[in-house]
Amino acid sequence: MSNPQQLRYSKEHEWLSVAEDGVSTVGITEFAANALGDVVYAQLPEVGSQVTAGETCGELESTKSVSDLYSPVSGEITEVNEDVVNDPSLVNSAPFEGGWLFKVRIAEEPADLFSADEYAAHTAG
C-alpha cells in the first residue's frame, strides 16, 4: 500500500491535499478503505457547513460496519463528491483519486497531520 507523498494524513485515517486557493480535498486512506470493507453508503457534510478538525462530519457505511467520518481540518465545505454519494464503492476502488469525499476552505490546519512516511509508520504493526 502506497500513500501519496504530496498528501497529509490524520490519525483517524483521512487524507488532505495541499490547499489550492485555500481549498483542500479530503478523503479516506486506502488503509481505512480496506479496513472498512465494501462501502455501500456515504453521508457527507453539506456544502456551506462548517467542520472542525477532529470532529465527526459524516459517516461511511460498509458491509462490515458504520464508521464516523472526521474532518482533518477546520473550515467551510465548498463541494462534496456526488459521484461517491451515487457510487460509494469509489471509496474502495480509488481512495486517492475518484473516491475523494469533500473539499474544504481551510480556516485552520492542525499541526498534528502526518507526512506519508509518518502515516505509514502510524499504521504499521
Side-chain angles (χ1 to χ4, degrees):
M1 177 174 351
S2 177
N3 298 306
Q5 292 292 319
Q6 75 275 18
L7 302 177
R8 293 292 167 250
Y9 301 86
S10 73
K11 62 184 172 213
E12 290 86 14
H13 309 290
E14 283 83 24
W15 59 261
L16 176 77
S17 70
V18 174
E20 293 182 27
D21 296 326
V23 176
S24 285
T25 303
V26 175
I28 66 165
T29 65
E30 186 176 2
F31 177 88
N34 289 340
L36 272 174
D38 295 332
V39 176
V40 295
Y41 175 75
Q43 177 200 356
L44 303 178
E46 292 186 22
V47 172
S49 65
Q50 296 292 319
V51 293
T52 302
E55 292 191 6
T56 303
C57 64
E59 71 181 25
L60 297 173
E61 183 178 329
S62 72
T63 55
K64 292 182 181 179
S65 67
V66 175
S67 179
D68 286 333
L69 176 63
Y70 297 92
S71 180
V73 294
S74 296
E76 179 185 353
I77 301 299
T78 62
E79 184 179 349
V80 296
N81 188 346
E82 292 296 334
D83 291 340
V84 165
V85 172
N86 296 325
D87 182 7
S89 69
L90 288 170
V91 171
N92 298 104
S93 63
F96 296 114
E97 295 89 25
W100 62 273
L101 301 175
F102 60 88
K103 295 187 180 188
V104 58
R105 182 169 309 284
I106 298 176
E108 180 181 349
E109 184 174 327
D112 64 349
L113 294 177
F114 297 131
S115 69
D117 293 337
E118 291 167 335
Y119 181 72
H122 173 70
T123 57

